[in-house]
Amino acid sequence: MLTISQLASYAGVTVRAVRHYHAKGLLVEPERDHSGYRRYDAAAVVDLIKIRILADAGVPLSRVKELLAAGDDDFKKAVAEIDKRLRLEIRERQAHRERIARLVHGDGLALPPEAVAYLERMRELGIPERMIQGERDAWILVAAQQPQSMEAFIRNKVGQLDDPSVVETYRELEAMLDWEPGDPRLETIADQIVAQMNAVSDEDWAAYVDGDQAMPDELAALLDSMFVEQVPVARDLMRLVEKRGYTGWTKLERIRD
C-alpha cells in the first residue's frame, strides 16, 4: 500500500494535486489506517495517471469524471468536442496575440493596420513626430466613426505621400504649430496648400467629395474643431485658404464662383 506522497510520485503529480482531485471527487479517497494515514493501492495509481493525462490534455476537471466512466464511443465523442473547443480557444488566443503585437506599437491601440502602416510611412519620410501624433489622433476619431471607410481614406492619404511637396508641407506645418496668430509666413503655407488642391484632377476631386473617400460633414467639422483648438494659427490659416477659393480644413471644398 502507498502513502499519498508515494502515490503522487508514481503518477507524476504533487500531493497537493492529489488532495485537489479528492476534493473534486475525481479520485476516491481511501479509508485511513489505524495511524490515521491514507493508504492507496495500485488501482488508485492507474486512476490518478488517467486523471493527470486528461488534465494535461486540456480536459476541464469538470469533465474528467465523466470521461473516466465513459464507454469507448462516448469517450471518443467527448474528446472530439473537447478538441473542437480547444481549437476555438487557440484561434481566440492567436487573435489576442495579434492584438498584443499591435499594442507594442502604440499607434495600433485604436487604429487598423493600414492606418498604422500609413503613420510608419510618414516616419520613414522624416515627417516630424508632432504632425504624426496629430494625424494619429485624428485617425482615431475617424476609425471610431467610419471604420468601413478607413481603407479608402488611408489609400488616398498614402498616395498623397508620393508627392514630395506634400511631405515638405507637413514639415512646414510642424513649424507653424509654434507660430502666433497673424504670422505673415501663413500666406506662403496657404499658397502651398491651395496649389496642391488645384493640382487634384476633376476625377479625384469627385471621389474626394462624393465617392468612398468622402468624409461626413459632422466628422469633418469635429476634426476641424480639433485643429482649431490645438493650433493657435489654425483660424488664420483657414481664413487665408478660404480667400484662395477653398473652405474648411479636414474636408476642403472648392468655393463655387
Side-chain angles (χ1 to χ4, degrees):
M1 300 296 282
L2 304 172
T3 65
I4 190 171
S5 297
Q6 291 171 319
L7 170 72
S9 178
Y10 271 108
V13 301
T14 64
V15 171
R16 183 178 182 182
V18 174
R19 290 182 175 135
H20 184 60
Y21 296 150
H22 282 323
K24 291 290 184 181
L26 302 179
L27 185 66
V28 176
E29 189 171 358
E31 297 291 335
R32 296 177 184 270
D33 63 17
H34 65 280
S35 300
Y37 292 104
R38 299 184 184 91
R39 295 296 177 180
Y40 299 86
D41 57 16
V45 178
V46 174
D47 288 344
L48 184 55
I49 289 173
K50 290 180 179 177
I51 294 170
R52 176 181 60 78
I53 291 172
L54 290 171
D56 288 348
V59 176
L61 292 183
S62 60
R63 300 204 62 183
V64 167
K65 190 172 184 178
E66 168 196 343
L67 292 179
L68 288 173
D72 288 346
D73 290 343
D74 289 341
F75 184 85
K76 290 177 181 176
K77 182 179 178 181
V79 168
E81 291 175 357
I82 292 168
D83 181 58
K84 181 180 179 181
R85 178 182 59 78
L86 289 174
R87 281 188 276 117
L88 177 60
E89 289 182 3
I90 289 171
R91 285 199 294 272
E92 290 175 347
R93 290 180 182 278
Q94 287 175 334
H96 291 163
R97 286 195 64 205
E98 291 173 0
R99 294 190 187 101
I100 291 295
R102 287 171 57 189
L103 291 179
V104 172
H105 306 285
D107 297 335
L109 181 62
L111 289 174
E114 60 268 22
V116 174
Y118 166 68
L119 297 177
E120 286 301 315
R121 177 61 178 153
M122 293 178 75
R123 291 189 175 93
E124 292 171 359
L125 291 170
I127 293 173
E129 190 62 27
R130 283 201 296 178
M131 294 302 299
I132 296 172
Q133 296 300 318
E135 285 260 342
R136 181 202 61 192
D137 292 348
W139 285 118
I140 287 174
L141 290 177
V142 177
Q145 296 294 318
Q146 294 282 304
Q148 75 282 2
S149 302
M150 282 297 290
E151 184 176 351
F153 288 155
I154 294 298
R155 184 170 60 248
N156 179 52
K157 294 293 290 186
V158 170
Q160 291 177 9
L161 292 179
D162 292 335
D163 183 348
S165 71
V166 171
V167 176
E168 184 58 28
T169 298
Y170 269 115
R171 296 193 179 103
E172 294 176 351
L173 288 173
E174 195 267 345
M176 181 193 73
L177 297 178
D178 299 320
W179 295 354
E180 297 294 331
D183 193 301
R185 291 172 290 183
L186 288 171
E187 298 278 356
T188 301
I189 296 289
D191 287 340
Q192 292 172 345
I193 292 171
V194 170
Q196 290 167 8
M197 292 297 102
N198 288 339
V200 176
S201 68
D202 291 341
E203 180 181 357
D204 288 344
W205 191 261
Y208 169 73
V209 174
D210 298 319
D212 60 355
Q213 301 169 18
M215 185 170 294
D217 291 341
E218 288 186 1
L219 180 57
L222 178 63
L223 294 171
D224 284 358
S225 68
M226 187 167 72
F227 176 55
V228 169
E229 291 171 3
Q230 296 179 353
V231 181
V233 298
R235 291 188 186 280
D236 283 359
L237 181 59
M238 292 171 70
R239 194 176 302 114
L240 291 171
V241 170
E242 186 169 344
K243 286 182 178 177
R244 289 159 172 78
Y246 292 87
T247 184
W249 179 254
T250 302
K251 186 179 180 180
L252 283 168
E253 295 184 10
R254 289 171 175 166
I255 299 174
R256 299 180 184 276
D257 295 332

